[in-house]
């Protein structure tokens, strides 16, 4: 996967994760163009887009668009399922997630994403394991370091 | 699940400003900063972009003050980071905070460190210089006893890490492969995957450990290792054939549901792992029957098991189909896969339909009948409201183009082209149409001249200046070279001339520059076909264009070249006179030059006619590039004490050493467009892009002109082929005529069978569609596979008819290749001509070199030169030895022929330049010859008073060389002239 973008129906970026090194200028340009293109598409249309030499896979959940860029030989359908799995994870973590959760806790959303996808590849496909990893790290935050160490052992 | 999310989300906008802690566990909400909340709410309350900008700038300056204040605690810093990330996401620059993010990762407690690392991963990219500051922190955290710290360090390493610092952490990460916690092992594998991507040679030694990871008892670790294997097998599939069995076993276990239930996704066992394994198997089994046989069973099972009607099963099916078609074919599996494709194509779900088309596109070349089966669906997709589906369909049609359906398909493509706005799509599609029309003339397709020219006109007008430069070049070459039938050729040219004249008649239309260039070339070359007494009419048009400000100066050069050609046919013309008047005082030096040349040529009609003969654009010109006829003159001058020639670079060097002040010389030489005036010029420009910078090629062109002429093309109504293809050509040409009817019948039968039940309800619209179908899929029967295969072939050798031009395009390979040739030829008693491109290698032809230098000297001042020589000039500078006249100390070696049993066309620069030579001017290192153990490279160094030719012999094998025997072969070939 090359990058993942989350943006609202109004075109506001909510989350961005780049797995390929690009300059800020390029990132902004890509984001702007893609958001425009995706928002202009009608709901019944295909979830895949050919954009430059990349494939864009996007899906809308309520007011949020999830959008991934993959290479041509990658599997589009499984990318859709990656998006869905990420939404499931967010949902499980926040308890029925909404756009506001992601706006106000975007760093948490990033932490979850990092446990699920790492360096552009699926890191862990078991939902349980991903959530366990997040919870572990979260528990640390709420407690003092000594308890942390105990927990980890 | 998604429904619930949807409901919650739609219900929420009303609650937006009231309370943001809706719907989340309390623990999560208490920790987020109220400051961020304030910021977010502040932004949402704003109405204009301008206000937002003001607010954020305010916020950023506050943050800047806070982060740099010494009193700021790490806790506050963490909170600042979150806000900085937010601002940056909105598109504002927060680079002042980057260094503080690194600090936070370094100094904070776990909680702060986590945010610090996140900020680093979001702010920086892997080439950012600040990233080096993170290395120490990472090393420290990797050694920590706290698991969470180790995890964080591994996570950041897997995302961004400076390539040159990999050795610093590599041993630590390798250790982690043996860690007791599976999460650590998994992340370590992914970190190594990242290293493999950015610096593959650094992790070569741990390949054996990857095997251990593949056999890990934890599924997650195994799955992570698949990423590495996929990548490595993609690069070199033959090295991992022995693992096929393991991958098959793993896939069997996964498909059989042997993995923990955790890994199920919507009750499908571990789909991600399945897909990754299928992709790996596809790579391993490609063109390898034995390996493929191992996987037939498991593929069959995968196809069978994936029956649930859910997206994810379709994802697996799609991958299965892909694998089945990539590996060594097995008919049963192919049958099943074809059925699967049918399921996709016929699915009402648009995503699946898209993938069905995609699958058809890559399957179609193996099995064209599949397209016949789904023709009605394809026709429907052609008019689909979603442009993406349309485009994929066109892609599919592009692959099945043949002589019978070309008009329909090209028409559909043009329709799409007119609708699209995006440059990328236009370039792509124009390339495809031109590919069908021009590049594939070997066995296609254009039904008649008018259609061909009109379609090309459309391509040129729409594609305009974004299209690939090969397209107009190939088109012109096609016109010039023509086909075998001379009258046919003349008609085609005549039609082109007529059509362009009509186009130029239209007022207030702006054509793309490239199109104008094509027009001016064609008019200049072939206007005489119109058989009019004077070309006054067309000269008026060209004149108008020349006076037009919107025409670029490059195009104007083409235009004036056309005028020059036409002038040689019409002796007195007021327009030409006016034109000369206008342009001899033009500010554009290039145009002025052209105008003067035209003026002088007009004074000598005989010369002009011989210089610009009619319809000779294809004739090969014999150019004495060595300018040997000037030898006597040079010798005389030298004897009278004239300074010997110094090549350009040497002169510049001297100049630089003399005056270390400002350089007032313009940098480039300007003859790139002013140097040619003859009738060759526009073609010269176009071909020039192909040829430029390769004297070897030019040399070959000149000296082997006879060979070139030997290649004849065949042209008939149905197709047109070079001699080599004679046999297949005859088949394809002969077959379509009798077949056409049969195939049509076949098609009709298929259609009627399929639609028997619908016949009654068949509307007029459907009939139209069927008509379209029969016109599209005509010639797709099994016999016509010849056609398809033939076409596939031509796609890959676009320039088969003119292999030389292709060679020139790929600069390095060609030069390497020609060197090989020259090497061989030199060993077998080289001929005079060969030395043209031999100069980079052997300097035995010093006589020639003399001429080269002369050549370039003369060319410098000569403006009326032929293009090839200009080409040569640029090359002389590169490779010919400078001023052999001053050479009194030339040293050189000839490679021993015995050390070069095999000369591969790809030269790898195995040996590097000697260090001390780098301060002198030197040529590129060129590998002369090599075998498994030894490679010989050569390069030249120009010193003040001499030329060194250095042959470096390097031992590649790692074995000790007992003795080296350097033989300087035929000594008479190698002499030094004082």
């Amino acid at each position: 996967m090359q990058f993942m973008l989350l943006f609202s129906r109004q075109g506001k970026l909510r989350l961005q994760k780049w797995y390929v090194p690009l300059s800020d200028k390029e990132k902004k340009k890509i984001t702007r163009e893609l958001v425009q293109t995706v928002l202009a598409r009608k709901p019944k249309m295909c979830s895949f887009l050919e954009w430059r030499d990349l494939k864009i896979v996007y899906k809308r959940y309520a007011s949020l668009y999830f959008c991934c860029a993959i290479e041509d030989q990658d599997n589009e359908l499984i990318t859709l399922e990656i998006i869905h799995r990420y939404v499931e994870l967010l949902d499980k973590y926040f308890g029925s997630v909404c756009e506001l959760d992601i706006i106000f806790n975007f760093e948490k959303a990033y932490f979850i994403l990092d446990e699920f996808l790492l360096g552009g590849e699926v890191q862990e496909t078991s939902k349980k394991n991903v959530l366990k990893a997040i919870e572990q790290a979260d528990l640390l935050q709420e407690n003092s370091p000594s308890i942390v160490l105990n927990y980890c052992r | 699940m998604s429904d619930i999310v949807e409901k919650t989300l739609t219900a929420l906008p009303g609650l937006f400003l009231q309370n943001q802690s809706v719907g989340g566990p309390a623990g999560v909400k208490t920790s987020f900063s109220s400051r961020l909340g304030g910021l977010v709410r502040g932004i949402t309350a704003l109405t204009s972009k301008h206000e937002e900008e003001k607010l954020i700038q305010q916020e950023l300056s506050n943050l800047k003050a806070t982060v740099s204040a010494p009193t700021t605690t790490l806790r506050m810093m963490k909170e600042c980071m979150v806000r900085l990330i937010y601002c940056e996401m909105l598109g504002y620059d927060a680079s002042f905070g980057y260094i503080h993010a690194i600090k936070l990762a370094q100094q904070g407690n776990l909680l702060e460190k986590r945010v610090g690392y996140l900020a680093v991963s979001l702010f920086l990219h892997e080439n950012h210089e600040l990233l080096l500051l993170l290395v120490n922190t990472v090393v420290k955290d990797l050694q920590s006893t706290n698991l969470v710290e180790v995890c964080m360090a591994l996570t950041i390493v897997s995302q961004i890490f400076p390539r040159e610092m990999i050795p610093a952490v590599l041993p630590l990460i390798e250790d982690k492969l043996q860690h007791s916690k599976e999460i650590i092992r998994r992340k370590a594998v992914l970190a190594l995957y990242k290293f493999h991507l950015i610096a593959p040679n650094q992790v070569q030694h741990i390949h054996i450990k990857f095997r251990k990871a593949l056999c890990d008892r934890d599924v997650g670790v195994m799955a992570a290792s698949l990423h590495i294997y996929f990548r490595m097998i993609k690069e070199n599939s033959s090295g991992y054939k022995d693992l096929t069995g393991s991958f098959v076993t793993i896939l069997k276990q996964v498909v059989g549901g042997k993995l923990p239930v955790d890994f199920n996704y919507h009750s499908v066992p571990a789909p991600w792992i399945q897909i990754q394994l299928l992709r790996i198997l596809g790579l391993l089994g490609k063109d390898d029957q034995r390996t493929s046989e191992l996987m037939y069973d498991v593929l069959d099972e995968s196809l069978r098991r994936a029956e649930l009607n859910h997206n994810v099963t379709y994802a697996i099916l799609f991958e299965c189909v892909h694998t089945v078609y990539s590996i060594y074919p097995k008919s049963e599996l192919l049958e099943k896969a074809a059925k699967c494709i049918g399921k996709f194509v016929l699915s009402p779900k648009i995503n699946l339909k898209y993938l069905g088309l995609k699958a058809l596109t890559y399957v179609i070349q193996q099995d064209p009948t599949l397209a016949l089966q789904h023709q009605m669906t394809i026709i429907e997709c052609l008019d689909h409201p979603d442009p993406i589906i349309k485009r994929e369909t066109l892609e599919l049609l592009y692959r099945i183009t043949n002589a019978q359906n070309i008009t329909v398909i090209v028409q559909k493509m043009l329709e799409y082209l007119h609708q699209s706005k995006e440059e990328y799509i236009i370039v792509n599609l124009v390339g495809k149409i031109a590919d069908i029309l021009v590049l594939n003339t070997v066995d296609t397709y254009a039904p008649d001249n008018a259609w061909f020219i009109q379609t090309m006109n459309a391509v040129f007008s729409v594609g305009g200046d974004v299209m690939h430069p090969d397209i107009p070049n190939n088109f012109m070459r096609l016109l010039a070279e023509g086909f075998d039938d001379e009258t046919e050729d003349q008609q085609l040219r005549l039609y082109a001339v007529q059509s362009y004249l009509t186009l130029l008649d239209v007022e207030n239309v702006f054509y793309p520059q490239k199109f104008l260039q094509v027009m001016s070339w064609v008019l200049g070359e072939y206007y005489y076909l119109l058989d009019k007494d004077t070309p006054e009419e067309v000269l008026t048009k060209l004149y108008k264009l020349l006076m037009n400000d919107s025409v670029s100066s490059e195009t104007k050069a083409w235009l004036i070249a056309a005028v020059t050609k036409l002038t040689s046919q019409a002796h007195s013309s007021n327009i030409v006179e006016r034109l000369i008047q206008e342009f001899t005082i033009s500010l554009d030096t290039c145009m002025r030059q052209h105008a003067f040349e035209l003026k002088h040529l007009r004074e000598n009609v005989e010369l002009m006619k011989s210089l610009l003969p009619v319809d000779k654009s294809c004739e090969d010109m014999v150019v004495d590039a060595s300018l040997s006829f000037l030898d006597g003159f040079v010798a005389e001058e030298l004897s009278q004490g004239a300074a010997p020639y110094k090549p350009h670079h040497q002169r510049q060097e001297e100049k630089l050493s003399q005056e270390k002040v400002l350089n007032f010389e313009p940098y480039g030489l300007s003859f790139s467009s002013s140097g040619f005036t003859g009738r060759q010029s526009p073609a010269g420009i176009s071909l020039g892009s192909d040829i430029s910078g390769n004297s070897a090629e030019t040399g070959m062109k000149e000296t082997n002109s006879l060979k070139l002429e030997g290649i004849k093309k065949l042209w008939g109504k149905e197709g047109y082929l070079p001699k080599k293809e004679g046999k297949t050509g005859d088949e394809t040409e002969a077959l379509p005529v009798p077949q056409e009817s049969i195939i049509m019948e076949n098609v009709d039968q298929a259609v009627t069978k399929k639609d028997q039940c619908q016949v009654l309800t068949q509307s007029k619209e459907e009939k139209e569609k069927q008509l379209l179908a029969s016109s599209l899929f005509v010639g797709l029967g099994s016999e016509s596979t010849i056609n398809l295969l033939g076409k596939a072939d031509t796609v890959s050798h676009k320039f088969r008819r003119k292999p030389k031009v292709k060679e020139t395009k790929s600069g390095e390979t060609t030069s390497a290749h020609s060197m090989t040739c020259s090497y061989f030829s030199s060993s077998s008693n080289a001929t005079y001509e060969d030395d043209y491109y031999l100069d980079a290698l052997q300097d035995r032809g010093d006589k020639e070199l003399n001429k080269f230098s002369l050549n370039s000297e003369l060319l410098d001042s000569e403006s009326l030169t032929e293009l090839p020589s200009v080409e040569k000039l640029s090359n002389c500078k590169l490779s010919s030895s400078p001023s052999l006249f001053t050479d009194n100390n030339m040293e050189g070696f000839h490679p021993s022929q015995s050390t070069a049993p095999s000369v591969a066309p790809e030269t790898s620069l195995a040996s590097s330049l000697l260090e001390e030579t780098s301060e002198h001017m030197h040529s590129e290192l060129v590998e002369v010859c090599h075998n498994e153990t030894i490679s010989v490279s050569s390069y030249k160094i120009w010193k003040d008073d001499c030329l060194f030719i250095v042959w470096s012999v390097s031992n590649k094998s790692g074995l000790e060389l007992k003795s080296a025997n350097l033989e300087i072969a035929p000594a008479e070939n190698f002499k030094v002239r004082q």
Side-chain angles (χ1 to χ4, degrees), chain B residues 378-401:
Chain B
I378 297 173
I379 298 296
E380 273 161 27
C381 289
L382 209 49
D383 290 323
H384 203 278
D386 189 346
I388 296 297
I389 300 274
K390 251 189 190 173
R391 213 172 125 195
E392 195 63 34
T393 318
L394 286 178
E395 177 75 38
L396 175 63
L397 291 180
Y398 164 66
R399 309 259 174 132
I400 59 167
T401 314

Side-chain angles (χ1 to χ4, degrees), chain B residues 471-542:
Chain B
I471 298 171
N473 292 350
N474 283 315
F475 174 70
M476 285 185 287
R477 193 191 311 145
L478 189 89
L479 277 184
E481 287 173 352
F483 312 104
D484 221 28
D485 183 352
E486 192 55 35
T487 50
E488 192 84 26
D489 294 347
Q490 299 295 28
Q491 272 171 18
L492 180 67
R493 291 167 191 156
L494 184 64
Y495 190 85
V497 171
Q498 285 166 341
S499 112
Y500 294 156
L501 285 177
T502 348
L503 282 178
L504 288 179
D505 264 341
V506 187
E507 296 280 331
N508 294 326
V509 182
F510 297 104
Y511 298 107
Q513 302 299 321
K514 289 223 176 96
F515 194 17
L516 287 176
Q517 290 166 11
V518 171
M519 284 186 195
S520 48
W521 184 82
V522 171
L523 290 177
E525 285 289 326
Y526 299 115
Y527 185 77
Y528 75 93
L529 290 173
L530 274 184
D531 268 342
K532 294 210 176 149
D533 293 338
T534 55
E536 206 70 10
E537 179 200 1
V538 68
L539 282 173
T540 323
K541 281 179 185 141
L542 294 176

Side-chain angles (χ1 to χ4, degrees), chain A residues 17 41 46-47 50 52 55 62 74-76 81 94-95 98-101 121-122 124 140-141, chain B residues 9 16 23-24 29 111 114 148 159 186 193 227 262 265-266 279 315 319 351 354 358 386 392 424:
Chain A
K17 190 87 193 176
R41 288 180 59 83
C46 176
S47 305
E50 278 157 49
R52 300 203 188 162
K55 270 278 162 63
D74 288 335
N75 190 318
E76 291 91 347
E81 298 313 306
F94 288 108
C98 69
E99 191 183 338
L100 290 181
D101 289 315
E121 303 287 352
V122 178
E124 178 58 72
L140 295 171
Q141 302 209 355
Chain B
L9 281 170
F16 190 77
K29 297 294 166 182
L111 183 150
R114 195 182 182 202
V148 179
Q159 296 183 69
R186 189 211 316 148
Y193 169 68
H227 295 308
D262 289 350
Y265 176 85
H266 295 256
R279 293 175 77 185
E319 211 57 56
N351 287 347
Y354 172 83
K358 189 182 167 193
D386 189 346
E392 195 63 34
Y424 190 85

Side-chain angles (χ1 to χ4, degrees), chain B residues 414 448-459 461 495 499:
Chain B
L414 283 174
D448 62 73
N449 293 335
W451 182 84
F452 177 67
I453 297 292
Q454 272 163 10
T455 315
M456 280 318 288
N457 287 351
V459 167
S461 338
Y495 190 85
S499 112

Side-chain angles (χ1 to χ4, degrees), chain B residues 144 388 442 454 510 539 558 606 736 837:
Chain B
S144 161
I388 296 297
V442 175
Q454 272 163 10
F510 297 104
L539 282 173
W558 286 73
E606 281 314 304
Y837 38 92

Side-chain angles (χ1 to χ4, degrees), chain B residues 211 214 229 232-249 279-295 326-328:
Chain B
R211 291 197 181 213
L214 184 65
Y229 275 108
M232 292 195 298
I233 291 171
K234 205 171 170 187
E235 285 149 17
N236 166 31
S237 67
S238 57
Y240 300 91
K241 299 274 184 193
D242 57 318
L243 284 174
T244 314
S246 317
F247 291 125
V248 169
T249 323
R279 293 175 77 185
I280 290 176
L281 290 183
L283 291 174
L284 283 171
K286 195 163 198 252
D287 305 323
D288 183 344
Q289 187 174 5
R290 271 190 49 216
T291 316
S292 297
E293 273 164 4
L294 295 174
M295 47 187 93
S326 346
I327 63 172
Y328 189 87

Side-chain angles (χ1 to χ4, degrees), chain B residues 792-809:
Chain B
D793 208 1
T794 53
V795 172
S796 53
H797 310 279
K798 280 181 185 167
F799 295 94
R800 189 166 47 182
R801 293 196 307 136
K802 276 249 165 175
K804 285 194 177 159
V805 182
K806 197 189 171 194
E807 268 177 42
T808 44
K809 281 180 73 192

Side-chain angles (χ1 to χ4, degrees), chain B residues 939-955:
Chain B
Y939 65 102
K940 280 170 286 186
I941 310 160
W942 288 283
K943 280 197 171 183
D944 297 340
D945 55 346
C946 61
L947 163 79
F948 285 105
I949 295 173
V950 179
W951 299 91
S952 61
V953 182
S954 69
N955 180 4

